[in-house]
Amino acid sequence: MKPDKSIEKIDYFLVISVVIVVLCSVMTLYSQEVNFEDGPGKWYRQLFYFVIGLVIMYFVSRVNYQLLGAYAIVIYVFTIFLLIITLIPGIGYLPSGRGARSWLKIGPIGIQASEFAKLSSVILLGQFMVLKEKDMKNLVVLSIPFVIVIVPMVFILLQPDFGTAVSFLPILFTMLFFGGADILHIGSLLAFGGITLMVPMFVEYSRLTLINDIADFLQRTGKTDLLSVVNRLGGKIWLALDGKDVKTANLTPKTLNSLREAVDQVVELEGGFLFKIFSNQTLLLTFGAIFLIASLVMVGIRIARGSRTLRQYYIPLGILGISLISAVVVMKIVPFRENQVVRLTAFLNPEEFKQGAGYQLRASKPAVGSGRFFGKGLMNAEMTEGRIPHVPESSTDFIFASWAEQTGFLGSVFLLFFLFSIPLRGLQISYESKDRFGSLLASGIVALLFYHMAINIGIVIGLMPVTGIPLSFMSYGGSHLIMSMTAVGIILSIKSRKHAN
C-alpha cells in the first residue's frame, strides 16, 4: 500500500489531544511507582506502547482509508480467527491467572484480540451499510449488521468478558442511526434488548439485597437450621429455589420447602412492588403472550383492510410482548453468577456489597474527591499508588481516580477537555466527510471511543456499573492504546482527503 500524496494537512489539534492525554497517562502511572523501588514499570511500558501507536497512527493516516473497505471482510475474519484461538488453552491465557481468557501469547508479547475485533467490526459495518444504503430500512437487511457484531460478541462472552462484549452494541446502534436505518426499528430493538436484560438483572439485584432481610427474619423466628443454610449459600439460595442448583446446594426436599416458605414471607413483607411483578414469571408470560397476540391480530385486521401503515401498530406492542417472554427465558436458562450481578448493580447501592465491585466504587469516589480543587500534587497518589493500592485497578480501569486525586478538579477538567475533544473532533470529521464510507467509519470510531470514555468515567464516579471498560488513551495496556491510536489514524486519513475515491 503506497501512501496517498493528494492529501490535506494533518489535523494537529486531534493529534495534540491524543498526545496530551497519553502523556497524562504515563505521568499518572509513573506517580504510582515513583515511591517504590520495585515498581512494575508500567509507565515506561505505556510510553513504549505510545511510541508504537504513534508510528502506526502516522502510517494509517497516510494510507487511503478506502483500502480498509476493500479488505473489510478479510480484516474482520482475521480478528474472528484471533478470538477463536484465544479460547484454546496454551494459546489464550489469563495474565493474572483469573478473569477472562482474553489474551494471546506471542513470544514475549500479549495481545488482546477483542480490542482489534471492535475496530474490524466498525470497518465491516461501514462497508456493508454503504453497499446496502438503499435497503437499510428493510428488516432482513437490518439483521446482517447484528450478525456482524454478535459473532465477535459470542466469542468474547466465552472468554468470558461481559464488559468488552457489551461495548459492541453502542457502536452498532450509532452506525445504524448514521447508516439510515429506521428510527422505529432501532428504538424497538433497543427496547427489546433493554427489557430482555434489565428485567432479569433487576430481579437478581433485588434478590441479593433481600439476603440480609431473609437472614434477619430467620434469626427472629428462631429457624437456626435455615439460617445456617442461608449463611452457607448466600446468593446461591435463589438458584436452589429456582431448581437450578439444588444438588450442589445439598438441600433435602423438606429443607428446600421450608426455605421457600420463609423466603416467600420475606418477599411479601420486604419485596418491592416492581420486584413482585417482575419476579412473577407466570404473570410476565401471560402479559407477553397477550401483547404479542394482540399485535398479530391488529396486523391481520390492517392487512385485511388493505392498510400499508402496519408498523405503527405491530412493532411497539409486538416488541413489548416478545421482550417480556424473552426476559422470562433469560431468567429460566441463564444462571447468573453472584459476582456478575454485583458488578453490574453495585453502583446502585455500593454499601450493600462489602467486597468486589462495591468496594471498588466505595474506594474510587473518595480518591476522586480527595483531590479537591487543586489536587494533592503530582507524585502524591496516596490512595492509588503501590503494588496493592487502596483503589483496585488504579492503573487500568480506575486510572482516572488516580489522576483526579493528584490534580484535583482543575486537572480533571484539563484532562476531560482533551479527552472528549478526540471523539468530538471525530464527529465533526464524520459530518464533513463527502464520502459515505468515510462518514460511517468515522462515526463508528467515535462511538467506540466515546463509549469507553463516558462509561469509564461514569464507573469511577459511581454513576455506572463496573464493567471492566478501560479509559481510552489513559488506561494502562498496549492493545487498547494501540487500537485507539490506530482508530485515530483512520479518522486522520478520512479528514485529510477532500473527495471520495
Side-chain angles (χ1 to χ4, degrees):
M1 294 185 294
K2 296 182 179 180
D4 188 347
K5 296 181 180 180
S6 59
I7 57 178
E8 295 181 351
K9 292 182 179 180
I10 197 167
D11 190 320
Y12 288 106
F13 178 74
L14 181 56
V15 174
I16 290 172
S17 296
V18 171
V19 171
I20 288 175
V21 174
V22 178
L23 290 180
C24 288
S25 168
V26 174
M27 191 182 306
T28 305
L29 294 170
Y30 177 75
S31 70
Q32 294 174 357
E33 302 178 8
V34 66
N35 296 321
F36 297 85
E37 295 181 359
D38 59 343
K42 291 181 178 180
W43 70 271
Y44 62 77
R45 291 195 189 98
Q46 187 80 336
L47 191 59
F48 175 69
Y49 300 144
F50 173 50
V51 173
I52 294 176
L54 273 179
V55 173
I56 294 175
M57 184 174 74
Y58 174 78
F59 174 76
V60 172
S61 71
R62 308 297 290 182
V63 174
N64 192 330
Y65 66 89
Q66 292 283 354
L67 289 173
L68 295 174
Y71 292 98
I73 189 66
V74 176
I75 298 170
Y76 177 81
V77 170
F78 178 69
T79 56
I80 296 300
F81 170 74
L82 293 180
L83 289 176
I84 293 173
I85 64 175
T86 299
L87 299 174
I88 302 174
I91 300 178
Y93 78 106
L94 292 71
S96 60
R98 58 184 176 83
R101 186 186 297 275
S102 56
W103 294 80
L104 282 172
K105 188 72 172 178
I106 304 176
I109 301 174
I111 298 175
Q112 197 169 8
S114 56
E115 294 296 339
F116 298 97
K118 299 173 189 175
L119 193 54
S120 70
S121 297
V122 169
I123 295 170
L124 185 57
L125 284 170
Q127 183 66 9
F128 175 82
M129 291 179 188
V130 169
L131 295 175
K132 298 294 183 179
E133 179 179 359
K134 297 180 180 179
D135 301 318
M136 286 305 297
K137 296 186 184 298
N138 185 299
L139 281 174
V140 176
V141 173
L142 192 62
S143 66
I144 303 301
F146 279 87
V147 174
I148 291 173
V149 299
I150 285 173
V151 171
M153 284 179 67
V154 168
F155 289 114
I156 293 170
L157 285 171
L158 291 174
Q159 294 177 357
D161 189 346
F162 180 81
T164 300
V166 171
S167 67
F168 283 76
L169 296 179
I171 297 171
L172 170 64
F173 285 110
T174 300
M175 295 190 71
L176 286 176
F177 175 77
F178 284 101
D182 193 302
I183 295 297
L184 185 58
H185 291 165
I186 296 175
S188 298
L189 292 169
L190 281 171
F192 169 75
I195 294 173
T196 300
L197 295 177
M198 295 308 296
V199 168
M201 195 59 63
F202 171 78
V203 171
E204 294 298 324
Y205 166 75
S206 300
R207 285 177 164 184
L208 285 181
T209 59
L210 282 172
I211 295 296
N212 290 334
D213 294 323
I214 294 171
D216 291 341
F217 174 80
L218 296 174
Q219 181 73 42
R220 291 196 309 269
T221 55
K223 298 178 180 179
T224 55
D225 54 335
L226 295 180
L227 179 61
S228 64
V229 171
V230 172
N231 291 334
R232 174 169 60 88
L233 296 179
K236 293 181 180 179
I237 66 168
W238 297 104
L239 292 176
L241 293 174
D242 290 341
K244 297 177 181 177
D245 201 16
V246 177
K247 186 176 181 180
T248 305
N250 194 25
L251 299 177
T252 64
K254 181 179 179 181
T255 301
L256 188 61
N257 289 332
S258 299
L259 181 61
R260 183 174 286 110
E261 291 176 2
V263 169
D264 288 343
Q265 293 180 56
V266 174
V267 169
E268 185 64 30
L269 294 171
E270 304 293 342
F273 174 75
L274 289 179
F275 174 69
K276 293 176 183 177
I277 295 294
F278 291 142
S279 62
N280 189 329
Q281 297 181 6
T282 302
L283 184 65
L284 293 182
L285 284 174
T286 301
F287 275 101
I290 291 173
F291 293 147
L292 183 57
I293 293 171
S295 68
L296 293 175
V297 169
M298 283 192 288
V299 167
I301 293 174
R302 301 294 291 183
I303 290 176
R305 293 180 177 178
S307 174
R308 296 183 179 181
T309 58
L310 298 177
R311 67 194 189 106
Q312 61 181 311
Y313 288 91
Y314 78 83
I315 286 184
L317 199 59
I319 288 293
L320 179 58
I322 295 173
S323 300
L324 292 175
I325 295 172
S326 299
V328 174
V329 172
V330 170
M331 285 190 280
K332 282 187 173 295
I333 68 174
V334 178
F336 286 101
R337 292 184 295 179
E338 185 173 348
N339 67 309
Q340 292 175 326
V341 178
V342 171
R343 282 174 65 88
L344 294 174
T345 59
F347 76 102
L348 297 172
N349 186 9
E351 299 300 326
E352 188 76 30
F353 307 100
K354 304 302 181 184
Q355 301 297 326
Y359 172 77
Q360 287 178 311
L361 292 172
R362 292 199 309 277
S364 67
K365 289 194 287 185
V368 172
S370 67
R372 297 184 180 274
F373 195 78
F374 294 104
K376 297 177 180 177
L378 294 174
M379 315 306 162
N380 289 316
E382 298 173 359
M383 301 180 69
T384 54
E385 68 180 1
R387 287 187 176 275
I388 307 178
H390 178 69
V391 179
E393 310 297 340
S394 59
S395 63
T396 52
D397 300 346
F398 286 82
I399 193 170
F400 179 72
S402 184
W403 174 263
E405 178 190 8
Q406 297 176 69
T407 64
F409 176 78
L410 283 181
S412 298
V413 171
F414 172 83
L415 174 65
L416 293 177
F417 171 79
F418 287 104
L419 186 68
F420 284 99
S421 290
I422 299 170
L424 288 175
R425 187 74 185 102
L427 188 63
Q428 182 181 357
I429 291 170
S430 172
Y431 177 77
E432 294 174 349
S433 176
K434 297 180 180 180
D435 170 41
R436 182 167 175 77
F437 175 62
S439 179
L440 287 170
L441 189 56
S443 67
I445 291 172
V446 166
L448 190 162
L449 297 177
F450 182 81
Y451 170 81
H452 281 80
M453 295 173 184
I455 295 297
N456 182 277
I457 299 297
I459 291 170
V460 172
I461 61 178
L463 297 179
M464 301 293 289
V466 179
T467 54
I469 295 295
L471 180 56
S472 297
F473 307 103
M474 276 292 288
S475 292
Y476 170 72
S479 294
H480 185 72
L481 178 59
I482 292 173
M483 182 279 293
S484 299
M485 296 187 73
T486 302
V488 171
I490 295 173
I491 291 179
L492 290 171
S493 177
I494 297 169
K495 164 66 171 64
S496 63
R497 286 159 178 83
K498 289 183 177 180
H499 305 288
N501 295 305

